[in-house]
Amino acid sequence: MSTESSPAFTGVVALDGPSGTGKSTVARRLAERLDARYLDTGAMYRAATVAALRAGVGLDDGVAVTRVVETAEIEISTDPGAVSVLLDGEPVDAQIRSAETTAAVSAVSAVPAVRAQLVAAQRDLIGDGGIVVEGRDIGSVVWPSARPKVYLTASAEARAARRAGELQADVAAIAADIARRDGLDSSRAASPLTQSADAVELDTTDLDIDQVVDRLVELAHAAK
Ligand code: DC
């Protein structure tokens, strides 16, 4: 709810960083606090990956993956209170989080034509702003004029422990998977995970979710 003292946020917040930094949770809560919309761009890459897996194309065949993603209809809600992704009209919220999808998403998101298509869709969704956008390349590629532009980090141990808690899985296996995905996401040729020079770095290792959200609310208000 907007109040006179705290009008709805009309800008664009870019939240980038590797997995396990708490990005999704804080991005959603930040959007709610700012009375803004929320866009999870990782969910779009994950939906594209579900499409590629269902089509059975080789994930190293960029041309085939691109063809599948071009014909897939990916719709995502920007309501922080009702996050959902549709692939060709079907909700795929569970499928996009499966181990199979998670293992394949770095390959799909490394295909330049897939990125071009999804970045264009993301820019359309951002539209006139009033939105918190999370991903890997929001401040660097998708919306370089976003303010604030924040890069979330956390120690490798903290990130693995958080993900293991979410997935109720083994910390060592999760740590290995995070390291593998970080390596792929940071080393790919097309828009790799990087920290923009003008991004504010926020290390969440020793902060709880509320502390991170409070700090982001301050940054968003200061950016007005
Ligand atoms: O945030 P996430 O873990 O759900 O993202 C899934 C994958 O998508 C991640 O391995 C990297 C990729 N991704 C990307 O390349 N660019 C984005 N803007 C968001 C996610």
Side-chain angles (χ1 to χ4, degrees):
M1 256 309 140
S2 305
T3 65
E4 247 177 76
S5 59
S6 174
F9 179 78
T10 55
V12 178
V13 179
L15 268 187
D16 289 305
S19 53
T21 50
K23 227 175 356 146
S24 296
T25 307
V26 298
R28 220 169 35 237
R29 293 220 196 147
L30 175 65
E32 283 171 341
R33 288 268 297 270
L34 296 176
D35 204 1
R37 296 179 298 134
Y38 161 66
L39 179 59
D40 176 0
T41 61
M44 297 173 77
Y45 287 98
R46 287 172 178 271
T49 303
V50 172
L53 290 170
R54 284 184 176 175
V57 294
L59 296 179
D60 51 357
D61 183 346
V63 173
V65 170
T66 300
R67 210 176 308 121
V68 170
V69 178
E70 267 169 7
T71 52
E73 203 186 323
I74 297 169
E75 293 168 83
I76 185 160
S77 89
T78 57
D79 177 351
V83 176
S84 84
V85 193
L86 301 181
L87 174 62
D88 297 326
E90 176 201 335
V92 286
D93 302 286
Q95 291 88 330
I96 65 169
R97 306 287 161 200
S98 75
E100 190 192 11
T101 305
T102 299
V105 65
S106 290
V108 172
S109 60
V111 178
V114 168
R115 300 199 71 80
Q117 185 190 324
L118 294 189
V119 167
Q122 289 156 14
R123 288 179 177 151
D124 280 350
L125 285 161
I126 293 169
D128 293 332
I131 192 163
V132 175
V133 190
E134 65 146 306
R136 303 290 190 287
D137 59 345
I138 311 308
S140 57
V141 173
V142 176
W143 211 266
S145 63
R147 294 288 180 276
K149 202 182 267 193
V150 181
Y151 192 85
L152 291 184
T153 60
S155 70
E157 296 75 24
R159 291 164 52 204
R162 284 174 191 168
R163 263 290 145 100
E166 278 166 23
L167 303 174
Q168 303 199 318
D170 175 58
V171 180
I174 298 274
D177 182 59
I178 286 181
R180 183 188 66 81
R181 278 210 291 150
D182 281 358
L184 291 170
D185 295 342
S186 308
S187 63
R188 68 175 176 233
S191 332
L193 169 66
T194 50
Q195 180 174 354
S196 300
D198 57 350
V200 176
E201 182 175 327
L202 186 54
D203 185 340
T204 68
T205 305
D206 298 317
L207 301 177
D208 65 25
I209 300 284
D210 289 335
Q211 290 170 315
V212 177
V213 175
D214 285 348
R215 177 79 188 110
L216 293 173
V217 169
E218 281 170 22
L219 288 170
H221 287 318
K224 272 189 191 155

